[in-house]
Amino acid sequence: MSDASDLDSAVRDGQRRAVARALTAVENGLPGADALVDALYPHTGRAWRIGITGPPGAGKSTLTDRLVTAFRERGETVAVVAVDPSSPFTGGALLGDRVRMDRHAEDDGVFVRSLAARGALGGLSEATEAACDVLDAAGYDIVLVETVGVGQGEIDVAEATDTTLVVLVPESGDAVQAMKAGLMEVADVFCVNKADKPEASNLVRALRATLHLRDVEAPAVVKASALEGDGLGALVEALDGHRARLAARWDEIRAERLRRRVRRLVEGHWRRDFWTGGRADTLAEAVRELDAEGRAPHALAARVLAGGLRRP
């Protein structure tokens, strides 16, 4: 990636083509992308990052589209990072969310980008956080991160955003399973979508009853219909309420997020570096040659760490 310093400046000026180039660079890990993110990072911290997650089929994309409209109506600029399932052929995003949000295409105050999950746990990757940094530095007021609905790993979105919105639907048979999987612990706001369904009120009551058992302040639970647009005002009010409660701890929250992110980066680099130089092949050969008694996983791991495995 050439002219990284010029790109850095252009992103901070909010130039859309520069933002698009920067997002391509961080998504694909192009040379200079890490340096670009580091250059932009001191200019981040103003945008409100909202993670939107929940089981597949909960209507997250339609709800995201409605939230974009609601925020734009009050004059805020909005960027959307839609983490799509990776294409099995190219590894790229399937771009479904960009298709759904075509009506915002002519609005200069909205920027929508699909990113491939690329098999990352929870559908998130370092590229997603880097994309949020780019959009934050570009001056967008709100960054919405809509994730792939794949289950327990979705709690990762809470570590990358300021406010986590969990979307459930009343007829979803796995709603309770989703709660057991950890979403109850990470949600800041719950939205029961498809409010016109008769079971919606029952799910709202069940959620509120369960959440009151938590030691911390219970998240808001609102009922809405993304398709019809009903209940959006109450949802936006609940999100704003959480943002207001964060105000006193904003710097602390951002610092903790950076600490976790740096730790993940270090661990990722360490794993890649450790298994270079033939270690992976050596381990595979050793396992093939060991008899049943020698296949002790903890002892074998200790030998790997101690450098006790050698090629025959």
Side-chain angles (χ1 to χ4, degrees):
M1 184 177 60
S2 60
D3 301 322
S5 60
D6 292 341
L7 187 57
D8 163 24
S9 177
V11 167
R12 288 188 282 112
D13 285 342
Q15 298 179 26
R16 293 177 71 89
R17 291 185 64 184
V19 172
R21 286 179 56 204
L23 291 172
T24 297
V26 299
E27 179 181 13
N28 295 295
L30 300 180
D34 291 349
L36 175 63
V37 172
D38 285 353
L40 292 173
Y41 194 84
H43 304 280
T44 66
R46 192 178 65 86
W48 179 23
R49 305 183 185 189
I50 304 174
I52 302 172
T53 187
K60 297 185 294 295
S61 296
T62 304
L63 192 64
T64 299
D65 180 65
R66 291 285 188 178
L67 287 173
V68 170
T69 300
F71 290 132
R72 288 297 292 139
E73 286 177 350
R74 64 188 198 184
E76 293 171 294
T77 56
V78 186
V80 179
V81 178
V83 185
D84 280 341
S86 301
S87 163
F89 303 105
T90 66
L94 295 182
L95 309 180
D97 295 281
R98 277 207 297 212
V99 172
R100 296 184 189 100
M101 297 185 196
D102 267 352
R103 65 195 184 100
H104 300 292
E106 301 301 318
D107 186 347
D108 288 339
V110 177
F111 193 106
V112 180
R113 179 66 177 239
S114 293
L115 295 184
R118 300 186 188 279
L121 178 61
L124 289 176
S125 64
E126 167 58 23
T128 306
E129 289 206 65
C132 289
D133 292 339
V134 170
L135 295 163
D136 190 341
Y140 288 94
D141 298 316
I142 298 172
V143 178
L144 302 177
V145 182
E146 184 204 332
T147 70
V148 186
V150 292
Q152 181 171 353
E154 285 297 88
I155 62 175
D156 280 10
V157 71
E159 294 192 353
T161 55
D162 304 308
T163 299
T164 305
L165 169 62
V166 174
V167 184
L168 299 174
V169 284
E171 72 268 23
S172 175
D174 61 355
V176 174
Q177 293 303 318
M179 290 187 281
K180 290 179 180 179
L183 291 179
M184 294 291 284
E185 284 69 34
V186 302
D188 300 307
V189 176
F190 277 99
C191 177
V192 176
N193 194 15
K194 303 184 182 180
D196 55 314
K197 301 290 185 181
E199 304 90 348
S201 295
N202 293 334
L203 179 55
V204 169
R205 284 193 293 270
L207 281 169
R208 288 174 176 163
T210 304
L211 291 167
H212 279 304
L213 300 176
R214 289 176 45 168
D215 294 333
V216 297
E217 183 177 355
V221 181
V222 297
K223 188 168 61 171
S225 172
L227 193 60
E228 302 297 330
D230 298 332
L232 263 293
L235 176 57
V236 171
E237 183 179 347
L239 292 169
D240 284 338
H242 182 260
R243 183 185 191 183
R245 292 192 295 276
L246 292 179
R249 301 188 297 114
W250 201 261
D251 290 340
E252 174 189 344
I253 291 168
R254 295 297 173 90
E256 176 61 18
R257 181 187 304 153
L258 178 60
R259 183 196 67 80
R260 290 194 300 263
R261 183 176 175 184
V262 171
R263 180 166 178 166
R264 288 196 301 271
L265 286 171
V266 169
E267 290 172 349
H269 282 293
W270 183 85
R271 283 194 298 271
R272 287 192 296 272
D273 291 345
F274 184 84
W275 291 111
T276 59
R279 281 194 178 97
D281 292 337
T282 301
L283 174 60
E285 292 171 6
V287 168
R288 283 196 298 269
E289 293 177 357
L290 288 172
D291 56 23
E293 292 183 358
R295 293 191 173 190
H298 294 88
L300 192 55
R303 286 179 59 194
V304 171
L305 291 170
L309 287 182
R310 296 288 186 271
R311 287 182 180 274

PDB file of all heavy atoms in Angstrom, residues 48 50 66-78 142 144 236 239-240:
ATOM      1  N   TRP A  48     -19.340   6.411  18.732  1.00  0.00           N
ATOM      2  CA  TRP A  48     -20.062   5.457  19.585  1.00  0.00           C
ATOM      3  C   TRP A  48     -20.210   4.172  18.792  1.00  0.00           C
ATOM      4  O   TRP A  48     -20.823   4.144  17.728  1.00  0.00           O
ATOM      5  CB  TRP A  48     -21.419   6.043  19.942  1.00  0.00           C
ATOM      6  CG  TRP A  48     -22.314   5.194  20.790  1.00  0.00           C
ATOM      7  CD1 TRP A  48     -21.954   4.180  21.626  1.00  0.00           C
ATOM      8  CD2 TRP A  48     -23.737   5.303  20.876  1.00  0.00           C
ATOM      9  NE1 TRP A  48     -23.068   3.653  22.238  1.00  0.00           N
ATOM     10  CE2 TRP A  48     -24.169   4.322  21.804  1.00  0.00           C
ATOM     11  CE3 TRP A  48     -24.680   6.144  20.276  1.00  0.00           C
ATOM     12  CZ2 TRP A  48     -25.522   4.153  22.134  1.00  0.00           C
ATOM     13  CZ3 TRP A  48     -26.013   5.981  20.597  1.00  0.00           C
ATOM     14  CH2 TRP A  48     -26.427   4.989  21.528  1.00  0.00           C
ATOM     15  N   ILE A  50     -21.651   0.500  18.373  1.00  0.00           N
ATOM     16  CA  ILE A  50     -22.764  -0.329  18.817  1.00  0.00           C
ATOM     17  C   ILE A  50     -22.672  -1.678  18.122  1.00  0.00           C
ATOM     18  O   ILE A  50     -22.695  -1.755  16.883  1.00  0.00           O
ATOM     19  CB  ILE A  50     -24.117   0.321  18.494  1.00  0.00           C
ATOM     20  CG1 ILE A  50     -24.214   1.727  19.109  1.00  0.00           C
ATOM     21  CG2 ILE A  50     -25.263  -0.558  19.003  1.00  0.00           C
ATOM     22  CD1 ILE A  50     -25.471   2.482  18.703  1.00  0.00           C
ATOM     23  N   ARG A  66     -32.997   0.211  10.023  1.00  0.00           N
ATOM     24  CA  ARG A  66     -33.899   1.136  10.711  1.00  0.00           C
ATOM     25  C   ARG A  66     -33.127   2.067  11.652  1.00  0.00           C
ATOM     26  O   ARG A  66     -33.454   3.259  11.760  1.00  0.00           O
ATOM     27  CB  ARG A  66     -34.935   0.345  11.512  1.00  0.00           C
ATOM     28  CG  ARG A  66     -35.940  -0.405  10.663  1.00  0.00           C
ATOM     29  CD  ARG A  66     -36.961   0.532  10.053  1.00  0.00           C
ATOM     30  NE  ARG A  66     -38.038  -0.193   9.390  1.00  0.00           N
ATOM     31  CZ  ARG A  66     -39.066   0.387   8.807  1.00  0.00           C
ATOM     32  NH1 ARG A  66     -39.160   1.707   8.789  1.00  0.00           N
ATOM     33  NH2 ARG A  66     -40.009  -0.344   8.213  1.00  0.00           N
ATOM     34  N   LEU A  67     -32.126   1.539  12.334  1.00  0.00           N
ATOM     35  CA  LEU A  67     -31.338   2.367  13.245  1.00  0.00           C
ATOM     36  C   LEU A  67     -30.550   3.420  12.478  1.00  0.00           C
ATOM     37  O   LEU A  67     -30.414   4.559  12.945  1.00  0.00           O
ATOM     38  CB  LEU A  67     -30.393   1.492  14.072  1.00  0.00           C
ATOM     39  CG  LEU A  67     -31.053   0.656  15.171  1.00  0.00           C
ATOM     40  CD1 LEU A  67     -30.031  -0.290  15.801  1.00  0.00           C
ATOM     41  CD2 LEU A  67     -31.669   1.558  16.246  1.00  0.00           C
ATOM     42  N   VAL A  68     -30.030   3.043  11.316  1.00  0.00           N
ATOM     43  CA  VAL A  68     -29.328   4.024  10.483  1.00  0.00           C
ATOM     44  C   VAL A  68     -30.251   5.202  10.185  1.00  0.00           C
ATOM     45  O   VAL A  68     -29.877   6.373  10.332  1.00  0.00           O
ATOM     46  CB  VAL A  68     -28.832   3.375   9.170  1.00  0.00           C
ATOM     47  CG1 VAL A  68     -28.314   4.450   8.207  1.00  0.00           C
ATOM     48  CG2 VAL A  68     -27.732   2.363   9.454  1.00  0.00           C
ATOM     49  N   THR A  69     -31.478   4.889   9.787  1.00  0.00           N
ATOM     50  CA  THR A  69     -32.447   5.946   9.469  1.00  0.00           C
ATOM     51  C   THR A  69     -32.746   6.813  10.689  1.00  0.00           C
ATOM     52  O   THR A  69     -32.787   8.050  10.593  1.00  0.00           O
ATOM     53  CB  THR A  69     -33.756   5.322   8.942  1.00  0.00           C
ATOM     54  OG1 THR A  69     -33.465   4.573   7.751  1.00  0.00           O
ATOM     55  CG2 THR A  69     -34.785   6.390   8.634  1.00  0.00           C
ATOM     56  N   ALA A  70     -32.933   6.166  11.841  1.00  0.00           N
ATOM     57  CA  ALA A  70     -33.262   6.912  13.063  1.00  0.00           C
ATOM     58  C   ALA A  70     -32.129   7.853  13.467  1.00  0.00           C
ATOM     59  O   ALA A  70     -32.368   9.017  13.836  1.00  0.00           O
ATOM     60  CB  ALA A  70     -33.570   5.935  14.192  1.00  0.00           C
ATOM     61  N   PHE A  71     -30.910   7.387  13.389  1.00  0.00           N
ATOM     62  CA  PHE A  71     -29.768   8.235  13.768  1.00  0.00           C
ATOM     63  C   PHE A  71     -29.565   9.362  12.763  1.00  0.00           C
ATOM     64  O   PHE A  71     -29.200  10.482  13.128  1.00  0.00           O
ATOM     65  CB  PHE A  71     -28.500   7.391  13.901  1.00  0.00           C
ATOM     66  CG  PHE A  71     -28.504   6.471  15.091  1.00  0.00           C
ATOM     67  CD1 PHE A  71     -28.144   5.132  14.951  1.00  0.00           C
ATOM     68  CD2 PHE A  71     -28.861   6.929  16.348  1.00  0.00           C
ATOM     69  CE1 PHE A  71     -28.137   4.276  16.053  1.00  0.00           C
ATOM     70  CE2 PHE A  71     -28.867   6.080  17.457  1.00  0.00           C
ATOM     71  CZ  PHE A  71     -28.510   4.744  17.306  1.00  0.00           C
ATOM     72  N   ARG A  72     -29.803   9.075  11.482  1.00  0.00           N
ATOM     73  CA  ARG A  72     -29.647  10.113  10.466  1.00  0.00           C
ATOM     74  C   ARG A  72     -30.703  11.207  10.629  1.00  0.00           C
ATOM     75  O   ARG A  72     -30.439  12.380  10.384  1.00  0.00           O
ATOM     76  CB  ARG A  72     -29.743   9.504   9.066  1.00  0.00           C
ATOM     77  CG  ARG A  72     -28.550   8.673   8.664  1.00  0.00           C
ATOM     78  CD  ARG A  72     -27.284   9.527   8.597  1.00  0.00           C
ATOM     79  NE  ARG A  72     -27.335  10.487   7.508  1.00  0.00           N
ATOM     80  CZ  ARG A  72     -26.915  11.742   7.604  1.00  0.00           C
ATOM     81  NH1 ARG A  72     -26.452  12.210   8.748  1.00  0.00           N
ATOM     82  NH2 ARG A  72     -26.971  12.554   6.548  1.00  0.00           N
ATOM     83  N   GLU A  73     -31.896  10.816  11.050  1.00  0.00           N
ATOM     84  CA  GLU A  73     -32.962  11.795  11.227  1.00  0.00           C
ATOM     85  C   GLU A  73     -32.634  12.822  12.306  1.00  0.00           C
ATOM     86  O   GLU A  73     -33.172  13.932  12.293  1.00  0.00           O
ATOM     87  CB  GLU A  73     -34.279  11.080  11.552  1.00  0.00           C
ATOM     88  CG  GLU A  73     -34.889  10.383  10.339  1.00  0.00           C
ATOM     89  CD  GLU A  73     -36.148   9.621  10.676  1.00  0.00           C
ATOM     90  OE1 GLU A  73     -36.438   9.468  11.895  1.00  0.00           O
ATOM     91  OE2 GLU A  73     -36.833   9.170   9.741  1.00  0.00           O
ATOM     92  N   ARG A  74     -31.756  12.462  13.216  1.00  0.00           N
ATOM     93  CA  ARG A  74     -31.362  13.439  14.231  1.00  0.00           C
ATOM     94  C   ARG A  74     -29.990  14.047  13.943  1.00  0.00           C
ATOM     95  O   ARG A  74     -29.376  14.659  14.802  1.00  0.00           O
ATOM     96  CB  ARG A  74     -31.426  12.840  15.627  1.00  0.00           C
ATOM     97  CG  ARG A  74     -30.488  11.703  15.911  1.00  0.00           C
ATOM     98  CD  ARG A  74     -30.824  11.097  17.271  1.00  0.00           C
ATOM     99  NE  ARG A  74     -29.729  10.291  17.803  1.00  0.00           N
ATOM    100  CZ  ARG A  74     -29.808   9.602  18.939  1.00  0.00           C
ATOM    101  NH1 ARG A  74     -30.932   9.611  19.638  1.00  0.00           N
ATOM    102  NH2 ARG A  74     -28.774   8.909  19.389  1.00  0.00           N
ATOM    103  N   GLY A  75     -29.513  13.845  12.721  1.00  0.00           N
ATOM    104  CA  GLY A  75     -28.342  14.561  12.235  1.00  0.00           C
ATOM    105  C   GLY A  75     -27.000  13.918  12.481  1.00  0.00           C
ATOM    106  O   GLY A  75     -25.960  14.529  12.211  1.00  0.00           O
ATOM    107  N   GLU A  76     -26.985  12.669  12.941  1.00  0.00           N
ATOM    108  CA  GLU A  76     -25.714  11.989  13.208  1.00  0.00           C
ATOM    109  C   GLU A  76     -25.272  11.195  11.983  1.00  0.00           C
ATOM    110  O   GLU A  76     -26.097  10.599  11.281  1.00  0.00           O
ATOM    111  CB  GLU A  76     -25.851  11.071  14.428  1.00  0.00           C
ATOM    112  CG  GLU A  76     -26.064  11.831  15.718  1.00  0.00           C
ATOM    113  CD  GLU A  76     -26.405  10.914  16.873  1.00  0.00           C
ATOM    114  OE1 GLU A  76     -27.485  10.300  16.831  1.00  0.00           O
ATOM    115  OE2 GLU A  76     -25.606  10.822  17.818  1.00  0.00           O
ATOM    116  N   THR A  77     -23.967  11.176  11.735  1.00  0.00           N
ATOM    117  CA  THR A  77     -23.432  10.364  10.646  1.00  0.00           C
ATOM    118  C   THR A  77     -23.224   8.943  11.138  1.00  0.00           C
ATOM    119  O   THR A  77     -22.878   8.719  12.308  1.00  0.00           O
ATOM    120  CB  THR A  77     -22.113  10.947  10.123  1.00  0.00           C
ATOM    121  OG1 THR A  77     -21.180  11.078  11.205  1.00  0.00           O
ATOM    122  CG2 THR A  77     -22.342  12.308   9.482  1.00  0.00           C
ATOM    123  N   VAL A  78     -23.420   7.985  10.249  1.00  0.00           N
ATOM    124  CA  VAL A  78     -23.419   6.577  10.646  1.00  0.00           C
ATOM    125  C   VAL A  78     -22.594   5.745   9.677  1.00  0.00           C
ATOM    126  O   VAL A  78     -22.725   5.879   8.460  1.00  0.00           O
ATOM    127  CB  VAL A  78     -24.855   6.006  10.690  1.00  0.00           C
ATOM    128  CG1 VAL A  78     -24.848   4.575  11.243  1.00  0.00           C
ATOM    129  CG2 VAL A  78     -25.778   6.891  11.523  1.00  0.00           C
ATOM    130  N   ILE A 142     -21.396   7.491  14.716  1.00  0.00           N
ATOM    131  CA  ILE A 142     -21.816   6.177  15.209  1.00  0.00           C
ATOM    132  C   ILE A 142     -21.310   5.103  14.253  1.00  0.00           C
ATOM    133  O   ILE A 142     -21.406   5.256  13.040  1.00  0.00           O
ATOM    134  CB  ILE A 142     -23.358   6.093  15.317  1.00  0.00           C
ATOM    135  CG1 ILE A 142     -23.872   7.136  16.321  1.00  0.00           C
ATOM    136  CG2 ILE A 142     -23.799   4.697  15.734  1.00  0.00           C
ATOM    137  CD1 ILE A 142     -25.387   7.254  16.353  1.00  0.00           C
ATOM    138  N   LEU A 144     -21.973   1.142  13.618  1.00  0.00           N
ATOM    139  CA  LEU A 144     -22.765  -0.048  13.922  1.00  0.00           C
ATOM    140  C   LEU A 144     -22.025  -1.279  13.412  1.00  0.00           C
ATOM    141  O   LEU A 144     -21.621  -1.315  12.256  1.00  0.00           O
ATOM    142  CB  LEU A 144     -24.139   0.030  13.256  1.00  0.00           C
ATOM    143  CG  LEU A 144     -25.017   1.240  13.600  1.00  0.00           C
ATOM    144  CD1 LEU A 144     -26.314   1.187  12.792  1.00  0.00           C
ATOM    145  CD2 LEU A 144     -25.321   1.287  15.081  1.00  0.00           C
ATOM    146  N   VAL A 236     -34.104   3.234  20.400  1.00  0.00           N
ATOM    147  CA  VAL A 236     -33.076   4.275  20.354  1.00  0.00           C
ATOM    148  C   VAL A 236     -32.922   4.917  21.734  1.00  0.00           C
ATOM    149  O   VAL A 236     -31.800   5.196  22.182  1.00  0.00           O
ATOM    150  CB  VAL A 236     -33.409   5.339  19.292  1.00  0.00           C
ATOM    151  CG1 VAL A 236     -32.474   6.527  19.395  1.00  0.00           C
ATOM    152  CG2 VAL A 236     -33.322   4.722  17.896  1.00  0.00           C
ATOM    153  N   LEU A 239     -30.847   2.599  23.876  1.00  0.00           N
ATOM    154  CA  LEU A 239     -29.441   2.665  23.496  1.00  0.00           C
ATOM    155  C   LEU A 239     -28.802   3.954  24.009  1.00  0.00           C
ATOM    156  O   LEU A 239     -27.691   3.941  24.548  1.00  0.00           O
ATOM    157  CB  LEU A 239     -29.311   2.578  21.973  1.00  0.00           C
ATOM    158  CG  LEU A 239     -29.691   1.229  21.332  1.00  0.00           C
ATOM    159  CD1 LEU A 239     -29.773   1.365  19.819  1.00  0.00           C
ATOM    160  CD2 LEU A 239     -28.687   0.149  21.725  1.00  0.00           C
ATOM    161  N   ASP A 240     -29.504   5.072  23.857  1.00  0.00           N
ATOM    162  CA  ASP A 240     -28.991   6.350  24.355  1.00  0.00           C
ATOM    163  C   ASP A 240     -28.787   6.309  25.872  1.00  0.00           C
ATOM    164  O   ASP A 240     -27.827   6.879  26.403  1.00  0.00           O
ATOM    165  CB  ASP A 240     -29.960   7.487  24.008  1.00  0.00           C
ATOM    166  CG  ASP A 240     -29.883   7.891  22.548  1.00  0.00           C
ATOM    167  OD1 ASP A 240     -28.852   7.619  21.894  1.00  0.00           O
ATOM    168  OD2 ASP A 240     -30.855   8.493  22.053  1.00  0.00           O
TER     169      ASP A 240
END
